[in-house]
Amino acid sequence: MSDKNWSTASQFIIWFLIVPPGMFYFLSNQMPEELNISYLFLFIIFSMLTTLFPIKLKGDPITLVMWVTIPAFLLYGIAIEMIIMQFAAIAILFVSKGTIQNKIQRFLINSLMMFLLSIVSAGAFYLVGGQVGSTDFWSLSYRGFGL
């Protein structure tokens, strides 16, 4: 084990203790009652395409995957959004450079970050009174401004 970097084994253990149980929990408790499978596949394809073709800004890649996952979350909830984010994390493997170990580490870190970002974002959405599947935008925006 290197002192500078975490080893792949320790990253895998952390990922394994957080992401799979969390995914299982959300998939078993937060799945939508109605799900359009063709929309789900389109969301997955678009999220993977946004990660496969990032925008380069001063040499740094920028992906717009959140522009795909936000509508998925608003339509179907956190479970579907998490599935889409995990597919996007897998797609990052195809564009990342480096050794296999570097790619695995990058997947584990990205997957964990996307998982935690999904939970924090959904928590904030529910905290301000948002409802999944609702098209009532103005009531949500009023709550966001404290009105």
Side-chain angles (χ1 to χ4, degrees):
M1 245 195 243
S2 169
D3 288 337
K4 285 201 259 182
N5 297 327
W6 293 359
S7 70
T8 305
S10 61
Q11 288 177 350
F12 176 76
I13 290 169
I14 292 170
W15 176 86
F16 188 75
L17 290 175
I18 296 174
V19 176
M23 289 289 291
F24 177 77
Y25 172 78
F26 285 107
L27 290 174
S28 61
N29 294 320
Q30 300 291 325
M31 279 299 285
E33 293 177 13
E34 292 182 21
L35 177 64
N36 187 336
I37 298 298
S38 60
Y39 283 177
L40 176 63
F41 285 126
L42 285 174
F43 282 129
I44 289 171
I45 289 168
F46 286 145
S47 71
M48 292 178 81
L49 286 174
T50 58
T51 56
L52 289 173
F53 301 106
I55 298 169
K56 297 278 185 170
L57 184 63
K58 296 183 184 177
D60 295 327
I62 298 172
T63 60
L64 300 176
V65 71
M66 293 303 290
W67 289 103
V68 177
T69 59
I70 289 173
F73 172 76
L74 292 175
L75 283 174
Y76 297 116
I78 189 169
I80 299 302
E81 191 257 347
M82 283 183 171
I83 291 170
I84 294 167
M85 288 295 271
Q86 294 304 311
F87 274 103
I90 291 169
I92 290 173
L93 292 174
F94 296 110
V95 294
S96 63
K97 294 179 172 85
T99 64
I100 295 294
Q101 183 177 1
N102 188 10
K103 287 183 177 190
I104 291 171
Q105 288 177 336
R106 186 168 289 167
F107 167 75
L108 295 173
I109 296 291
N110 284 331
S111 174
L112 180 62
M113 285 189 324
M114 289 177 176
F115 177 78
L116 295 175
L117 178 66
S118 296
I119 292 173
V120 170
S121 300
F125 177 76
Y126 292 128
L127 189 64
V128 297
Q131 294 179 351
V132 172
S134 174
T135 58
D136 190 16
F137 172 75
W138 294 111
S139 68
L140 178 63
S141 64
Y142 293 144
R143 289 184 188 134
F145 289 115
L147 300 175

